Amino acid sequence: MENGILYVVVALGVSIVLNIFLKRLGVSQIIGYILTGTLIVYAFDLRYLNDSHILEMVGEFGIVFLMFTIGLEISLSKMGSMKKEIFLNGFMQVTFTAIVVYLITHYFLNLQVKTALIIALAFSLSSTAVVLSYLKSSKEIHTPYGQKATGILIFQDIAVIPILILIGFLTTHSDESLSSIIFQTVLSAVFVIGLLFVVGKRIMTWLLHFSASSELEELFMGSVLFIVVSASIFGHYMGFTYSLGAFVAGMIIAETKYHHKVESDIAPFKDLLLGTFFVVVGMKVDVFIFMDNIGLIVGIFFTVVVLKSFVMYALLRLTSPHNSSLKTALALSQVGEFSFVIFALASLGGLLESELAQLLVLIVIFSMMVTPFFITRIGRIVEMMHGRIEVVEDMQALKSRRGHVIVCGYSIVGKFVARHLDELDAPYIVIDNSNKHVQEALADGIEAYLGDASKHSILEAIHVEDASSVIVTLDNPEKKRLICDAILKHTSDVSLIVKVVSLEEKEIFKALGVRVVVDGKLEVARVLVERMSVCQLKYR
C-alpha cells in the first residue's frame, strides 16, 4: 500500500515537471504522460504491472469521461444534422480502410486470414483520445474539418462494438452463427439506447434538478459522476464498451439546461483520468524491443499513415472540398487506442502470435506519441502541399485575444470598415461564411476566418465575449437578425453595431436589443449635407 502511494506521488511529480518543460517547447502534455509511465516502470521495475487489469480500468475511464463530454456537445438534433459525417463518412472510412489493409496483409505479406482481418480492423481505427482532445482544446472541433473528424471518430467508437464481438466469435468458435450474434447485438443496442433515453433521461433530469436546487456544488458534482459511471457500467453489463453508455448519457444531458454546467464541472475529472490513460500507455512501452525493431516500427507506422490518408482523402473528396478533406485525412491517419484492446483480446484468444501482438502494440504506442507533434502542424502541411493561401480554420490564436473588433462580413461595406479600422490602427478580425470573401480578406493581408457567426459553436470558437465590438456589415436582413440574436444570447458584454437599410429593419433590430443601429440612407443624407456645406464655404 505504501509503495503504491509512493509510485502515485512520484508519477504525479514527474508528470508535472515534464509537462511544464514540454509546454514551454510547445509539445502536447500527452507526450509527458506517456514518458511518465515509461520512466516510472523502469525506475521502480514495475514491468509486471503492464497487464494490470485495475490500471487498464482506471485508464479506460479517461476515455469514458472524454466520450461523455463529446456526447454533451452532440445532442440528438446535432447528430441528426451530422448524419453524413457519422454514418456515411464514418462507414466508408472504416470499411474501405479495413479492406485495403486486409488485401495488403493477406495477399502481399502472406498473413493468415484471421490475423490479417484483425490487423485490418484495428488499423482502420484512429485515436479518439488524442484527436478529440486536440480538437476540443484548439476549438477546431467547430471547423468543417473538425466536424468531419468528430463524426468519423464517433462512428469508429461505435464500430469497436461489432469488432470486439467478431473477435469473441473467432476466439470461441461458438456453434452460434455470426449472423445470429450480430442480430442479438443489434437488439441489445436498441434496448440499451432506448432504455437510457426513455427511462434514464427522466432519472438524470430529475437527479440534476434536485441536486442543483440544493445549491450544494458537491451534490451536483456527485450526481454527475454517478450518472457517468452508472451509464458506463450499464452499457458494459449489456455487452458493450464502457464509453458507449457514457456517450449516450452525454447526449441525453445535452438536451437539458444543465449541459454547460455539467461540462465545466466534469472537465477536471476527464483531464485527470485521460492523463492516467496515457500514463498506462507509457507503462506498456518495452524499450528494448522497441530499440531492436525501431526501423520496422517506424516503417510500418509511416506506411499506415500514408495509406489511411490516401484512402480517407479519396473518399472525402467525393463530397467535400480539397482543404477540409486533406486536413481530416491527415488528422485521422494514426492508429487508435482501441487497437490495444483488439490486439490484447486477439492475442489471448490465440488469433495473434505473442511476438506479433507486442510489435503491433508498440506501433500503436509510437503512433500515439508522434500524433500530438503532427496534428498541431496539419494547417501548415496542407498549406505547403496546396501551394497557395488557404482559408484559416484554426481559431486557437483567438484564445488569448482581448479587446479586438469582430467584423462580420467582408463584402463591399466590410472592406470599407476594414480600411477605416486600419487607419485607426484598431485590432480586428473578419468572420465570413463565404469562402470567396475570406480568400479576398487573406489576400489583403487581413486576419480572417471561415464560419457562420449565427452559430453558437462559432461564437465560442472566436471568443466573441472577449471582443470590444462586433460590426455586422451584411446585406441579408434575415442573416443579420440571426447573427445579432445569437450574439445577444451568447453575451451582453460586447458592443453590437449593425448596418440597416430601411426604417423597418431599424425597428426590428431595436426591438431585438441592438443598441447601435446605423441607417445607411440616413448616413448618406448626412454626408451629402456635410459635403454641400463644405462646398459653400469653399466658394464664398
Side-chain angles (χ1 to χ4, degrees):
M1 179 65 181
E2 291 179 359
N3 288 339
I5 294 174
L6 174 64
Y7 301 150
V8 171
V9 171
V10 173
L12 185 62
V14 170
S15 66
I16 290 171
V17 173
L18 271 176
N19 281 321
I20 290 173
F21 177 72
L22 293 175
K23 181 70 174 178
R24 293 179 178 178
L25 298 177
V27 178
S28 170
Q29 71 270 23
I30 292 171
I31 301 299
Y33 289 126
I34 293 175
L35 289 176
T36 297
T38 305
L39 290 172
I40 293 299
V41 160
Y42 282 90
F44 294 100
D45 194 21
L46 300 175
R47 278 172 287 182
Y48 65 90
L49 291 176
N50 285 357
D51 298 322
S52 171
H53 180 66
I54 295 175
L55 281 177
E56 288 184 357
M57 285 287 292
V58 173
E60 187 171 353
F61 267 82
I63 308 298
V64 165
F65 278 84
L66 175 65
M67 290 304 296
F68 177 72
T69 57
I70 297 302
L72 287 173
E73 295 193 1
I74 303 177
S75 59
L76 279 176
S77 57
K78 188 170 183 180
M79 181 171 269
S81 66
M82 290 179 66
K83 290 192 293 288
K84 176 184 170 185
E85 287 81 1
I86 297 173
F87 300 106
L88 177 61
N89 292 344
F91 175 78
M92 289 173 62
Q93 183 272 321
V94 171
T95 302
F96 283 95
T97 302
I99 289 172
V100 172
V101 175
Y102 173 80
L103 293 174
I104 292 173
T105 52
H106 180 58
Y107 291 102
F108 288 92
L109 300 180
N110 296 319
L111 294 178
Q112 293 180 359
V113 173
K114 292 180 180 179
T115 302
L117 180 61
I118 291 166
I119 294 173
L121 292 172
F123 279 4
S124 70
L125 305 177
S126 307
S127 177
T128 301
V130 176
V131 177
L132 281 184
S133 294
Y134 169 74
L135 290 177
K136 281 175 68 66
S137 64
S138 66
K139 295 292 183 182
E140 289 193 41
I141 196 170
H142 305 299
T143 63
Y145 105 84
Q147 292 288 289
K148 288 184 180 66
T150 301
I152 292 172
L153 286 170
I154 290 171
F155 182 86
Q156 288 182 0
D157 289 334
I158 296 171
V160 170
I161 298 163
I163 291 173
L164 295 180
I165 292 169
L166 177 63
I167 292 174
F169 175 80
L170 295 174
T171 302
T172 57
H173 302 286
S174 173
D175 295 332
E176 199 172 0
S177 67
L178 181 60
S179 59
S180 175
I181 292 176
I182 293 173
F183 177 72
Q184 290 176 14
T185 303
V186 171
L187 284 180
S188 298
V190 172
F191 174 75
V192 169
I193 295 172
L195 191 63
L196 283 173
F197 268 100
V198 176
V199 180
K201 183 176 182 179
R202 294 178 180 175
I203 296 174
M204 292 178 199
T205 305
W206 174 84
L207 187 59
L208 291 174
H209 173 75
F210 177 76
S211 56
S213 62
S214 70
E215 298 184 357
L216 292 174
E217 287 296 321
E218 62 269 24
L219 285 182
F220 187 83
M221 189 69 256
S223 300
V224 175
L225 292 175
F226 172 77
I227 289 170
V228 178
V229 176
S230 58
S232 303
I233 293 174
F234 176 66
H236 183 260
Y237 180 77
M238 296 301 296
F240 302 102
T241 60
Y242 286 104
S243 56
L244 179 66
F247 176 73
V248 174
M251 288 181 61
I252 291 171
I253 295 177
E255 303 285 343
T256 71
K257 63 181 180 180
Y258 302 105
H259 70 281
H260 292 300
K261 178 172 174 54
V262 169
E263 186 174 16
S264 62
D265 287 353
I266 208 73
F269 292 92
K270 185 259 297 184
D271 295 336
L272 180 63
L273 288 170
L274 202 57
T276 306
F277 167 77
F278 287 113
V279 170
V280 174
V281 169
M283 293 177 69
K284 293 180 179 292
V285 176
D286 191 317
V287 175
F288 300 108
I289 295 179
F290 181 80
M291 295 306 297
D292 290 341
N293 298 278
I294 187 168
L296 181 61
I297 290 170
V298 174
I300 294 174
F301 166 72
F302 280 108
T303 302
V304 171
V305 166
V306 172
L307 187 66
K308 288 184 71 174
S309 298
F310 178 78
V311 172
M312 210 176 312
Y313 173 78
L315 293 172
L316 292 173
R317 195 66 182 90
L318 297 173
T319 56
S320 304
H322 164 79
N323 188 38
S324 62
S325 298
L326 185 55
K327 279 189 172 184
T328 306
L330 292 173
L332 301 180
S333 60
Q334 74 291 130
V335 187
E337 58 278 345
F338 282 119
S339 300
F340 285 121
V341 182
I342 293 172
F343 292 142
L345 288 177
S347 178
L348 289 173
L351 300 175
L352 287 177
E353 295 180 2
S354 59
E355 292 182 3
L356 177 60
Q358 198 166 36
L359 181 67
L360 291 170
V361 166
L362 287 173
I363 292 169
V364 178
I365 292 171
F366 181 77
S367 172
M368 296 180 72
M369 291 182 69
V370 171
T371 300
F373 291 101
F374 172 72
I375 197 170
T376 56
R377 293 165 175 80
I378 285 177
R380 298 178 200 169
I381 294 170
V382 171
E383 188 173 319
M384 286 191 299
M385 293 175 67
H386 204 266
R388 67 183 181 89
I389 297 175
E390 285 292 343
V391 171
V392 180
E393 294 179 343
D394 184 356
M395 300 177 183
Q396 189 175 11
L398 299 176
K399 286 174 67 175
S400 58
R401 201 74 56 85
R402 298 289 185 277
H404 57 293
V405 179
I406 298 175
V407 180
C408 295
Y410 195 71
S411 55
I412 297 173
V413 176
K415 289 173 182 173
F416 282 116
V417 168
R419 187 182 302 174
H420 287 298
L421 288 171
D422 284 330
E423 292 173 358
L424 295 172
D425 199 25
Y428 70 95
I429 65 164
V430 168
I431 180 81
D432 200 304
N433 202 31
S434 166
N435 185 71
K436 176 187 173 184
H437 290 160
V438 175
Q439 287 281 3
E440 291 173 354
L442 292 172
D444 292 338
I446 294 170
E447 183 181 1
Y449 299 92
L450 179 66
D452 186 348
S454 66
K455 303 294 184 185
H456 175 72
S457 57
I458 293 296
L459 294 180
E460 277 191 336
I462 64 175
H463 295 270
V464 69
E465 66 276 4
D466 296 323
S468 64
S469 304
V470 178
I471 302 176
V472 182
T473 69
L474 304 178
D475 293 321
N476 188 314
E478 181 59 23
K479 197 63 185 174
K480 281 191 290 188
R481 188 191 66 77
L482 290 173
I483 290 174
C484 292
D485 186 47
I487 292 172
L488 291 171
K489 286 180 179 177
H490 185 80
T491 179
S492 58
D493 295 332
V494 66
S495 298
L496 184 57
I497 303 155
V498 186
K499 178 204 77 170
V500 299
V501 294
S502 67
L503 185 61
E504 291 79 9
E505 263 194 4
K506 187 175 182 179
E507 293 301 322
I508 289 171
F509 286 104
K510 284 287 187 182
L512 198 62
V514 179
R515 297 174 185 174
V516 183
V517 177
V518 179
D519 189 328
K521 294 179 180 178
L522 185 63
E523 290 302 314
V524 169
R526 183 181 60 79
V527 172
L528 289 172
V529 174
E530 285 179 356
R531 296 293 170 86
M532 178 272 297
S533 301
V534 171
C535 290
Q536 287 183 345
L537 289 172
K538 183 177 179 180
Y539 290 109
R540 279 182 181 176

